[in-house]
Amino acid sequence: KMPSVQQHQPMHGVELTSFDFSNEQLKGPVVIEVFCGSARVTASLKEVGLTQSFGVDHVLDKAVSAAKRLDLTQLEDQQLFLQWMSSPLVVGLFLAPPCGTCSLARNIQLMDEKGRKIPGPIPLRSAVWPEGLPGLGAKDRARVSAANTLYDFVAKVVALAHSDRKS
């Protein structure tokens, strides 16, 4: 019996960018956890019998289960992911895109222990400017642009998954 997900420790050396996804290599259904972070969903999937499942993220230092390193802001890595996704072995996707640049929590005024206002993260988007506020600094503009690329890719993946549904 596999240990509980809560007992998993980060796996080092789990990245593999030249992964060849073929029927010969895998023996069963696969769910791909996209933007997996710690890959705990993947670990849970393996515990319930989906043993060929794996995660995908650009950093894998906290992964507790099988994961492949892809930077989905890059076209080459997006194309590789879409190849994996087209395999008949893929029966599901779990997508949890990063939300740091669009979190409404950025609008909350932070207070110290004495109730004084303290600086916190600034809003990067608004309902009027969903692609990013004008006047952002270079670092924030780069973060918003990268997140926008990921959100566009997620929309493409969802549309493809929906159109390729196996009835």
Side-chain angles (χ1 to χ4, degrees):
K1 180 171 163 44
M2 235 175 134
S4 164
V5 175
Q6 303 304 322
Q7 297 171 355
H8 287 264
Q9 296 299 315
M11 295 173 58
H12 299 287
V14 291
E15 60 184 76
L16 181 59
T17 54
S18 61
F19 176 71
D20 239 351
F21 196 82
S22 70
N23 291 349
E24 294 77 35
Q25 290 175 306
L26 298 174
K27 305 293 187 230
V30 175
V31 174
I32 304 174
E33 179 188 4
V34 187
F35 311 111
C36 69
S38 66
R40 290 190 185 279
V41 169
T42 298
S44 295
L45 290 166
K46 289 175 174 288
E47 284 185 10
V48 298
L50 292 164
T51 60
Q52 300 301 313
S53 297
F54 62 93
V56 171
D57 213 328
H58 72 293
V59 175
L60 300 176
D61 61 341
K62 293 180 176 37
V64 298
S65 192
K68 319 291 181 208
R69 188 181 62 77
L70 289 182
D71 180 350
L72 294 174
T73 65
Q74 302 299 309
L75 184 59
E76 181 178 293
D77 285 359
Q78 289 179 2
Q79 290 170 336
L80 180 57
F81 176 82
L82 293 174
Q83 288 176 348
W84 294 347
M85 186 179 145
S86 70
S87 168
L89 293 171
V90 174
V91 297
L93 301 170
F94 184 95
L95 297 123
C99 63
T101 67
C102 59
S103 174
L104 290 176
R106 290 178 162 275
N107 295 321
I108 298 171
Q109 176 63 60
L110 300 179
M111 305 284 197
D112 68 12
E113 64 279 350
K114 294 183 179 178
R116 295 178 295 210
K117 293 180 181 180
I118 58 174
I122 62 166
L124 303 177
R125 305 171 187 270
S126 71
V128 175
W129 298 98
E131 298 290 317
L133 293 171
L136 292 175
K139 184 178 177 183
D140 285 334
R141 168 59 44 209
R143 288 185 63 224
V144 167
S145 179
N148 290 346
T149 298
L150 294 175
Y151 301 149
D152 289 344
F153 183 65
V154 166
K156 180 178 184 176
V157 166
V158 169
L160 282 170
H162 182 71
S163 69
D164 290 345
R165 283 191 314 213
K166 297 164 182 80
S167 302

